[in-house]
Amino acid sequence: MSGDINESAPFSPVKFLYGLYDKYSERKKRQKKVFRRKWITGARLEPKEMLNNRPYSKYRPREEDEILRSMLLEEKSILIRGDALAGKTRTAFEVLKSMGSLIDVIILLPEDIDSGTYPFADNYGMNIEIVILDDLDRFVEMSNFEKMIEMIKAKHFLIVATCQSGEKFELVSKKIDTCTIFDKNIVDLQPISKDEAQRIAEREGIKWEDIDFDGSIGSVFMRLYEMRRRYDALEDREKEILQIIKKLYMCGIYEGNHLFPYTLIETVYMNDHPDNELDWVRVLGPLKSSGLIFIPEEKKIHAEEIYLEKVVKFNEPSSKLLVLKEMLDIFSHDCTVLISIGNKAASYSFTRVQKTEYAKVVVRAYEKALKLMSVNDLSMQYAMVQHSLGIAYRNLASMEDRKHNLERAIGAYEEALKVYTSEKFPMDHAMTWDNIGLAFSDLATLEERRTNLKKAIDAYEAEIKVETLKEFPMQYAMAQKHLGEAYTCMADMEEMGINLEKAARSYGEALEKLESINLPHQAQKIKNDLAVIFRELGQED
């Protein structure tokens, strides 16, 4: 009889409630890290929640405002693009504020997370739900950006994003397919005339001689000429602190809202002055008085991006590549900083001339970080870095030593799969298999074509087996597209009819998903591929 008795511990309501509270507390911590503001209506949106401590004056309505409002009412995601200081964030704020209780907004911070799913707060309102991604170029550097976008789309949220024109938008375009997210809904903010800028300056009581006008409304309020004068008036030690902050900024070594902890600044300073402790009391007074920084949190400095880029100068010319290498050496024993350096170098490798050199910095940074952790100690972070390292190796393979770097990429992805199991992290598991498939497809162009294509097919099929993938139609469509491409290549070597039919089925699955989420441009590409396959099948018959 005793063998039939259930000897498991009795249910404890107290322990159950504590368990729920612990999960709730953990979720709140994660949300605090990645959300500047959780769901609120447009009417309750405050300037500081988007503009921080930037100058806030009477708003000058733009012609683009009504266009943006109309797009949002039509439930379209939009990207606001413009030069530095064009007023992108201010325009987004004013448009969202003007829509009042018609919308609910949530403001995200560009922070990596070490959890299986992005911790979106639940919103049970009936309004249009909008996710704000200010400075989109910073978000695309996140290790989990694609997963975040899939989560946003799966929940049917709209996106309002801002991005600077030029190099930063080029980076975004190379990292993501902007048409997939925004279709053609990109609104460019136009420059203002000098006459209008002078009228604004007079109205706001700003001396024109203090302004370095560049066609943007922001250059009126930021008064770059005056800020350069203040910078030049600082002592060498104070300038050095700002130069260190600029180096940290260039390498992506800061917290979400351009916050630079004292400890990071001290690490760089002590590297240059090993025998001198930094006297914060002495340097902070003049720095705060200059207006170039402020202290929003204890022992953390905020510095405006535009001041770091256009006001703070190095004593000697120093390229981004040299600064990355310098910080890589200084922070060689700081895992978190090394990952930030790797992420930033990866972005530069997409847009800079010395792509190979930047790609090698990426690999070095991630490899150094991995030596400071183990799969057991920091499993999720370990997997994220291995996955990023795989991407870095595949990127480097496009530039040099193709075979060797592709093999190293596959090895890194396989290492990530030790953590990214289909049970615990289904989407990460699926996306890693997708990258393995792409690497084997690349390898098939170099050697053992049949063998490597079969391995690519196995990888894509392992990806598609993940049931959760079907909840993310864009990712599912891309998986089927990649599988179709692999079967098409295999058809050139064996069982042409059978493999083309398999390719057609995969393309058909991809087409169905793309049409279901209204992506006509991507769907047309699949239709073109299907047309080629049907012609081939017809010829064979």
Side-chain angles (χ1 to χ4, degrees), residues 188-205:
D188 289 295
L189 298 187
Q190 301 303 317
I192 63 174
S193 67
K194 183 177 179 180
D195 288 343
E196 186 172 2
Q198 288 177 326
R199 287 196 296 271
I200 293 171
E202 183 178 0
R203 187 185 69 208
E204 298 295 330

Side-chain angles (χ1 to χ4, degrees), residues 275-405:
D275 300 324
N276 295 325
E277 187 175 346
L278 182 56
D279 186 350
W280 283 109
V281 175
R282 177 183 169 188
V283 299
L284 280 181
L287 284 175
K288 288 192 288 186
S289 297
S290 72
L292 289 163
I293 69 159
F294 66 93
I295 315 294
E297 297 181 25
E298 185 179 359
K299 295 189 175 182
K300 292 180 182 180
I301 291 174
H302 173 86
E304 279 291 338
E305 181 179 13
I306 198 69
Y307 293 156
L308 295 174
E309 291 182 349
K310 296 198 173 188
V311 175
V312 178
K313 303 184 294 288
F314 294 130
N315 296 332
E316 297 177 0
S318 190
S319 69
K320 287 183 170 67
L321 185 60
L322 288 174
V323 172
L324 281 166
K325 290 180 177 179
E326 179 188 354
M327 296 298 105
L328 195 58
D329 291 336
I330 291 174
F331 292 99
S332 61
H333 299 294
D334 189 321
C335 179
T336 302
V337 172
L338 288 169
I339 295 170
S340 296
I341 292 172
N343 292 346
K344 179 58 75 171
S347 296
Y348 291 142
S349 71
F350 282 100
T351 59
R352 294 274 154 177
V353 174
Q354 297 170 288
K355 296 179 185 297
T356 304
E357 292 303 311
Y358 281 108
K360 288 179 178 178
V361 171
V362 180
V363 169
R364 278 184 60 203
Y366 291 147
E367 287 184 336
K368 281 177 175 284
L370 286 167
K371 288 178 180 178
L372 300 174
M373 65 177 79
S374 77
V375 66
N376 296 321
D377 295 338
L378 295 165
S379 59
M380 189 62 186
Q381 189 179 57
Y382 176 87
M384 287 173 65
V385 178
Q386 286 286 8
H387 190 269
S388 296
L389 180 61
I391 294 171
Y393 275 133
R394 185 165 175 252
N395 183 37
L396 189 58
S398 67
M399 306 170 201
E400 66 176 34
D401 203 357
R402 188 165 173 78
K403 176 179 178 295
H404 180 58
N405 282 313

Side-chain angles (χ1 to χ4, degrees), residues 191 222 248:
M222 300 302 280
L248 295 172

